[in-house]
Amino acid sequence: GLAASGLRSIRYAMEVTELGRIDANDLDPDAATAMARNIALNGGAAAEKIRISQGDARLVMMQNPGGYDVVDLDPYGTPAMFLDSAVQAVSDGGLLMVTATDMANLCGNNSTACWSNYGIYPVHRSYCHEMALRIVLACIETHAARYKRRIVPLLSLSVDFYVRLFIRVYTSPNDVKDSPSRLAYLWQSSGCDSFWLQPVGQKRTHNGQVKHMPGSGPAVEPRCPDTGSGYIMGGPIWAGPIHDVEFAKELLADFESAGAEQRYAQAVKIRGYLLNVVSELPDAPLYYNLHDICKMVRVTPPKSDQFRSALVHAGYRVSGSHCCPLAIKTDAPPGVVWDVVRCWVRRTGASAAALKDPESYCAKMLAKEPSLEADFSITSAAMSRAKDDKAPRFVINPAYWGPKARHGRPDQTRPNPDEGEGGDPRVGGGRNKDKRGRGREGAGAAAAAAGGAQGAPATGGSGEAGNGEGKEEVGAQAGTAMDVGQAGAEEAAAGGKKRPAEEAAADGAVAGVAEVTEAGAEVEAEGGQGEAKRQKA
């Protein structure tokens, strides 16, 4: 079970009016009791729409095949064990929302765990956060294909220390035949940042007949053409678009017209992600990191606009990525990217350290003559739109930001009380220890509404606090660390005043708490009792 204290289910009931019924399930009986109490305290739409169940979430989904317009999975760690049940429980055209916080596995720091969970081998390189998204998408795609279903990603975000995906699921046996062509193996040069994708399958049309065949290969030369090194092979990962750009544009327009800054404390951050998403190249998987590729040849990097302009002048498209401020996403082949780097080195001068060892990968890279003359004059087609609209794309998290520790572990997300507010931030590692961010609740609810879930049941997601799995903090103890996606959290933190649930929900205070008092902190203990049991189950 995943619903914990029921906070997210309560928010869905109170904020997404189109939903007709919400099934909030948790494996732990104490969590189910906490849900019932929180729902009763909120009353209104929460009491009318939410149906509490206690048991294994996988069984609940298996007993309702195609029964939910929206399924929200948000476990602490990997969602892998729930995916097979989830793709069956979603109705045709329904919305599947998935969170994964096991980023060490998905980004390649623990590749064997990633393989055992997802059946996909990761590669630890600069693009690892986008690769994490593509690994989860590929895993969901293969699960869906077993039941003659296909997925269409609406929005796939790498946020802080987790990934969050919003996916449409359709029943379409014919489209399942195209599934291998939507996946690809990854060839990564071991000597530089060059990478290539090799589709698992391909589709050919001959005399009006479509034939599905294995992908052709190899996609690479025997040795890396720029450094002479070998390769690392990973995948298969999702090679198709990770966003529906039109959906993202509509969501952004709705978000800006709904008075988001008055409703969500993290409205600026959410808007930044959406602005990045709508400007990303949809058909250019993965990306280069500008500083990393320049570090390889030991040269001071150019300005991002200069490097991007050189690629545009060479006849290719380029964009940034929401995953990284330094990302260069382009449809240019690796050889062209390195030609631009060589032209920049020739313009600024190569360092002695770069050429010291003629057999080094760096020296071999620079010894090759560029096949084009890069033009670094800035063109408007390569410039970030942030310079026009002045809207920030990457927002820094506040101090001591992050979810609570996992159930059963001490709270280390705030300064030591004995040291006061100026305590050593390393004590507890509030910013480094976190696995998940804030403000995703508002985007999740908006996506559910935009997804068109009309009057049909929906499962309540896990981690109802939206951040600390299986628990929530209330009132004076909560402060902004509970849910910075709600503007009322700051008010709740100041003094622990009592407020009616209707008023709290109306002005954006955290739903799920009727009386904001220090006594309400007991919900944290009871709402998160079952996390260890749920994980074990």
Side-chain angles (χ1 to χ4, degrees):
L2 307 170
S5 61
L7 177 58
R8 180 174 297 180
S9 301
I10 293 170
R11 292 197 56 192
Y12 281 149
M14 301 179 74
E15 298 179 27
V16 187
T17 57
E18 295 87 350
L19 296 177
R21 191 187 83 230
I22 300 171
D23 288 354
N25 177 82
D26 200 285
L27 185 62
D28 186 357
D30 292 335
T33 302
M35 274 192 281
R37 182 171 61 252
N38 288 336
I39 291 170
L41 288 172
N42 281 271
E48 293 175 3
K49 295 181 179 181
I50 299 176
R51 185 177 67 179
I52 300 173
S53 65
Q54 186 263 314
D56 192 319
R58 291 169 292 186
L59 293 178
V60 173
M61 291 186 287
M62 289 294 291
Q63 291 168 357
N64 295 275
Y68 296 109
D69 286 338
V70 182
V71 172
D72 189 349
L73 298 177
D74 189 0
Y76 196 104
T78 177
M81 69 287 294
F82 301 106
L83 295 179
D84 196 77
S85 303
V87 295
Q88 298 178 70
V90 183
S91 62
D92 188 13
L95 182 65
L96 174 61
M97 300 186 287
V98 179
T99 302
T101 65
D102 56 332
M103 294 300 286
N105 301 337
L106 291 168
C107 289
N109 288 325
N110 192 348
S111 54
T112 55
C114 183
W115 174 262
S116 63
N117 288 334
Y118 301 96
I120 298 167
Y121 218 90
V123 175
H124 185 62
R125 286 297 187 272
S126 302
Y127 48 68
C128 61
H129 290 93
E130 182 178 326
M131 184 186 65
L133 291 168
R134 295 183 178 277
I135 287 175
V136 179
L137 285 171
C139 185
I140 298 173
E141 167 78 359
T142 54
H143 280 291
R146 297 185 183 109
Y147 305 101
K148 296 180 172 57
R149 314 197 83 180
R150 59 181 279 259
I151 67 170
V152 176
L154 298 180
L155 194 65
S156 306
L157 299 175
S158 173
V159 184
D160 302 316
F161 297 97
Y162 65 92
V163 292
R164 178 72 164 164
L165 303 100
F166 303 85
I167 303 164
R168 287 281 200 190
V169 180
Y170 296 96
T171 300
S172 179
N174 285 333
D175 286 337
V176 171
K177 298 177 183 179
D178 295 334
S179 180
S181 62
R182 294 190 284 266
L183 306 177
Y185 293 105
L186 172 65
W187 293 87
Q188 169 66 54
S189 170
S190 59
C192 63
D193 286 342
S194 298
F195 62 87
W196 296 263
L197 294 179
Q198 178 178 329
V200 174
Q202 59 180 319
K203 182 173 64 174
R204 293 183 179 179
T205 303
H206 181 68
N207 294 331
Q209 293 185 341
V210 177
K211 186 175 182 180
H212 296 84
M213 305 171 59
S216 59
V220 294
E221 300 178 12
R223 310 294 293 180
C224 174
D226 292 298
T227 62
S229 67
Y231 301 98
I232 301 171
M233 186 176 178
I237 63 173
W238 176 265
I242 61 175
H243 313 295
D244 183 327
V245 177
E246 292 304 317
F247 171 82
K249 289 180 178 178
E250 292 177 7
L251 183 58
L252 178 61
D254 291 343
F255 185 78
E256 292 181 334
S257 64
E261 292 189 5
Q262 286 70 43
R263 296 188 62 192
Y264 306 112
Q266 288 285 51
V268 175
K269 184 173 183 177
I270 297 172
R271 181 185 294 109
Y273 275 108
L274 293 176
L275 288 171
N276 273 324
V277 165
V278 299
S279 64
E280 284 185 18
L281 290 178
D283 55 350
L286 307 179
Y287 56 83
Y288 301 92
N289 183 295
L290 179 58
H291 285 190
D292 284 349
I293 59 179
C294 290
K295 179 182 177 180
M296 190 265 172
V297 293
R298 303 189 181 188
V299 66
T300 301
K303 292 182 179 180
S304 179
D305 287 343
Q306 288 180 298
F307 194 88
R308 290 161 56 141
S309 294
L311 292 173
V312 171
H313 287 307
Y316 299 96
R317 295 175 298 144
V318 66
S319 76
S321 170
H322 77 277
C323 298
C324 176
L326 298 172
I328 302 293
K329 184 181 282 286
T330 179
D331 58 352
V336 173
V337 174
W338 289 115
D339 280 345
V340 173
V341 172
R342 293 185 191 98
C343 290
W344 179 255
V345 171
R346 190 168 57 182
R347 177 174 175 174
T348 59
S351 67
L355 304 175
K356 182 178 180 180
D357 181 5
E359 296 302 315
S360 67
Y361 291 143
C362 176
K364 290 180 179 180
M365 173 71 71
L366 296 179
K368 187 176 180 179
E369 287 295 322
S371 59
L372 59 84
E373 187 64 35
D375 180 0
F376 292 99
S377 61
I378 296 177
T379 175
S380 59
M383 293 181 64
S384 170
R385 298 281 79 83
K387 296 185 178 180
D388 296 330
D389 55 35
K390 307 299 181 183
R393 265 49 173 185
F394 299 91
V395 180
I396 300 175
N397 293 313
Y400 301 108
W401 158 92
K404 308 304 296 178
R406 187 172 181 174
H407 176 62
R409 297 177 182 174
D411 176 15
Q412 296 181 333
T413 59
R414 292 185 178 82
N416 190 323
D418 297 333
E419 298 179 5
E421 292 300 321
D424 188 347
R426 294 173 295 178
V427 178
R431 278 173 284 184
N432 298 325
K433 193 180 179 80
D434 172 38
K435 287 189 178 182
R436 313 162 66 168
R438 297 296 193 203
R440 127 175 135 253
E441 297 289 358
Q454 298 282 340
T459 60
S462 72
E464 295 302 335
N467 312 290
E469 265 319 287
K471 57 187 172 180
E472 66 175 330
E473 280 206 8
V474 199
Q477 185 176 354
T480 56
M482 177 178 166
D483 184 1
V484 299
Q486 294 294 311
E490 294 182 3
E491 190 174 341
K497 299 179 181 179
K498 293 186 177 182
R499 303 172 57 196
E502 293 81 1
E503 179 185 348
D507 65 5
V510 179
V513 183
E515 295 187 44
V516 184
T517 65
E518 291 186 3
E522 65 178 292
V523 178
E524 177 190 357
E526 297 192 32
Q529 290 283 337
E531 180 52 41
K533 297 179 183 178
R534 289 198 305 277
Q535 195 70 9
K536 182 178 180 181

